[in-house]
Structures are given as structure tokens and as C-alpha cells.
Amino acid sequence: MSSIPEFGELLAAAEKSAVHLEMRDTYYSNPRFEAWQRGQRVDWNDRDSWWRPFHQDIADAVARGVQVRRARVVSEPVTDYIRWEHYQTRANTEAGEQVRWLPRRRAWDLLLPGSDLWVFDGKLMRIHHFSGDGLWVEKELCDEPTTVEAHAAAFEKVWERAVPHDAYEIM
């Protein structure tokens, strides 16, 4: 596939499901993470300060009946980046996304993909490639049925074992 649509376009085309598997303990830094490191916290009562187009895309998909789920495989004790992600996941859940966390030590016997990914309707996969230090490198799409099915199955295995966001305690 030569042209890769943006995430919002792929989510807008989803009819039933969109699942996201994240497996890194750190990603590229960003101003919101850096502000959190300096002690700044989100004013959850001021939705305009934290609601982003991504959250609206999720909310729109959920309103159309698309089930949006995210599973994060994390090392424990968690990195500061994961601690921040856990904190800001409230925005994801307020948008309607379901989020679960799986400690890496509980995933050792699962066959997991080498990269983070999204699977849309079990038919199309968007793969995210990062450098070793967490910088975004590139994205690619895959619609080869056997490959997408295998990755979707890997997500489901993680999801079955993972702890719902509200019950996962950061170590």
C-alpha cells in the first residue's frame, strides 16, 4: 500500500472495532509529559484544556458503535513515561476507549508482535515503528488476512490477561 491514511481516517472508516497494542516502556518526549514531570497536573474539570482531536475521533467512533480498546504491556516497576500515561489515560477513557494494562512478567509466554499496532475491524493493521529511544520512525499498513488475524489474536490474548485501567495500580 503506497499511501497510508492518517489514524483519524482509519478510525472513521472502522465499523465494529479498533484495537491498539502498545508494548514500549518509553516513547518520545512531548510537552505534556515534560509539564507532568515538572509537577503540572491536568485540570480534569476544564475539558477544553485536555480534550484533543484524537479524543474526539475516539468519541465519534464509539458513538457510531465501534468498540475501541487499548492494551499496554509494561515493565514493572514502570518508567516515568508509563506512570504519566497511566495518569493521562483518564482522557482516553472519558472519550470511550477501554484500556487495560498487562505487566510484562505476565506476558512472557505470549507470542507478541515486534511493534505497536492498531487493528481495524480485524481486517486492516497499522503498524507503528519507533527508534530505540522512542522516536517515531514510520507507519505502515498491512491487509494480508493471515498476518492481520495473527496480530489481532495476539491482542486478544493480551486483553484476556490484562488488568482494567481502573484496577491497575502503578508500581
Side-chain angles (χ1 to χ4, degrees), residues 93-107:
T93 60
E94 295 235 359
E97 187 174 351
Q98 300 171 55
V99 180
R100 291 188 182 180
W101 303 80
L102 181 62
R104 198 172 307 281
R105 66 179 157 56
R106 292 187 50 220

Side-chain angles (χ1 to χ4, degrees), residues 76 86 89 93 98-103 105-106 161-171:
E76 292 178 326
H86 187 270
T89 292
T93 60
Q98 300 171 55
V99 180
R100 291 188 182 180
W101 303 80
L102 181 62
R105 66 179 157 56
R106 292 187 50 220
R161 287 190 189 178
V163 178
H165 174 69
D166 291 341
Y168 181 68
E169 295 184 27
I170 291 291
M171 297 180 75

Side-chain angles (χ1 to χ4, degrees), residues 11 13-19 61 64-68 120-123:
L11 186 59
E15 297 176 359
K16 297 177 184 172
S17 66
V19 300
R64 287 193 331 271
V66 176
Q67 183 181 48
V68 182
F120 301 93
D121 292 329
K123 298 177 184 173

Side-chain angles (χ1 to χ4, degrees), residues 143-158:
D143 62 359
E144 196 285 311
T146 304
T147 302
V148 174
E149 287 171 18
H151 287 77
F155 174 88
E156 293 303 330
K157 291 290 186 186
V158 169

Side-chain angles (χ1 to χ4, degrees), residues 31-98:
R32 291 180 297 133
F33 172 56
E34 293 162 6
W36 179 85
Q37 287 181 305
R38 291 190 304 272
Q40 294 178 15
R41 296 299 179 256
V42 173
D43 178 358
W44 294 109
N45 294 318
D46 179 12
R47 183 175 159 176
D48 289 340
S49 71
W50 56 266
W51 191 262
R52 306 222 172 331
F54 170 83
H55 300 117
Q56 191 60 54
D57 290 343
I58 297 294
D60 292 346
V62 170
R64 287 193 331 271
V66 176
Q67 183 181 48
V68 182
R69 297 181 293 155
R70 177 187 308 253
R72 292 180 171 134
V73 178
V74 296
S75 299
E76 292 178 326
V78 299
T79 62
D80 279 347
Y81 195 95
I82 295 300
R83 190 175 306 283
W84 170 72
E85 277 194 335
H86 187 270
Y87 168 76
Q88 64 84 32
T89 292
R90 177 174 172 179
N92 299 65
T93 60
E94 295 235 359
E97 187 174 351
Q98 300 171 55

